[in-house]
Amino acid sequence: MKKVALWAIPRAVGSAFERVFFEREDTTVAHELFMPCHYYSESRVNSRYDGIVEPAPENEYEYVKKSIGQLPERPILFLKEIAFHMKGIVEVDFWSGFTHTFIIRDPRVSIPSLHRLMPDASFEETGFLGIKEMFDMATEVYGQPPVVVNGDEFRRNPKETLRVYCELVGVPFHDTTEWTEGKVLPEWQRWEGWHDEVLTSSRVFAPPVREQAELPRHVEQMIEDALPYYLEINRHAISV
């Protein structure tokens, strides 16, 4: 089995990129399996849901890790995860069998989008610290060449970007950038509002032109703090 991990930041078009793999008959898609470890487990490192969601065994890291082995066996396992969900739990040995890839987006776009859905998001929840840590693990610990997708470039050139990505990770290219509406992962419906476009669209489409809204000062500061991480990783992005 070829195991591919796509490490993402929130609002990076990661679900749309995941969607094209969901169309493939040779691929099992695993969507953000480790999110409950980060937010809901006994050993959670984020307090957002303290007092709201009680810990349960199925939210613990060891349980989730073992559940990967119970997924349907197909030639390709495509695991998409928000990188910061791995804070405090990533095991270098466990992930050594994966080809690690990344999807990122300009924080001047991703962070305002995150702010609209989660106004109290912390800098950690913008995802840039977490994706840099996973990027360093893949390139420095495993010595893998960087495979990076820019979310907006993917939306502008979906077929061409996907073709190069498949070549880089060593899987056959299938043009799955258009699909029939209605086929969805249940996990996309877990957080209302977060996956609306991928739930209702039938193809990858170009990013809309967004008006620049005035942002709170702390959000502007998060954008400024995120830019160096973005620029460092994005220089490796696939260009078509």
Side-chain angles (χ1 to χ4, degrees), residues 9 12 102-108 128 131-132 135 146-154 156 226-239:
I9 62 166
F102 304 85
I103 188 163
I104 200 158
R105 199 179 189 192
D106 192 320
R108 290 164 289 198
F128 288 91
I131 202 168
K132 178 62 166 58
F135 182 85
V147 179
V148 179
V149 175
N150 180 289
D152 282 328
E153 288 304 313
F154 168 61
R156 294 185 186 101
L227 271 169
Y229 298 101
Y230 166 72
L231 293 171
E232 180 177 349
I233 296 173
N234 189 65
R235 67 188 179 91
H236 300 284
I238 292 169
S239 178

Side-chain angles (χ1 to χ4, degrees), residues 93-196:
D93 290 345
F94 176 73
W95 294 100
S96 62
F98 282 77
T99 296
H100 295 273
T101 68
F102 304 85
I103 188 163
I104 200 158
R105 199 179 189 192
D106 192 320
R108 290 164 289 198
V109 179
S110 69
I111 292 179
S113 178
L114 177 65
H115 176 68
R116 286 191 290 272
L117 288 167
M118 186 182 280
D120 62 343
S122 65
F123 183 67
E124 177 190 81
E125 289 171 315
T126 69
F128 288 91
L129 285 173
I131 202 168
K132 178 62 166 58
E133 290 173 0
M134 299 306 292
F135 182 85
D136 288 347
M137 182 182 75
T139 57
E140 297 176 8
V141 177
Y142 300 141
Q144 295 186 8
V147 179
V148 179
V149 175
N150 180 289
D152 282 328
E153 288 304 313
F154 168 61
R155 291 180 68 171
R156 294 185 186 101
N157 299 286
K159 182 177 178 179
E160 296 82 359
T161 302
L162 181 61
R163 184 190 300 276
V164 174
Y165 179 89
C166 289
E167 291 174 358
L168 291 173
V169 301
V171 301
F173 168 68
H174 298 168
D175 183 10
T176 48
T177 55
E178 296 185 9
W179 53 80
T180 301
E181 292 181 44
K183 183 182 177 184
V184 300
L185 282 169
E187 293 85 355
W188 289 336
Q189 300 170 309
R190 181 184 293 165
W191 286 25
E192 186 177 352
W194 287 75
H195 302 95
D196 287 354

Side-chain angles (χ1 to χ4, degrees), residues 86-97:
M86 305 308 299
K87 182 179 180 182
I89 58 173
V90 67
E91 290 180 275
V92 171
D93 290 345
F94 176 73
W95 294 100
S96 62

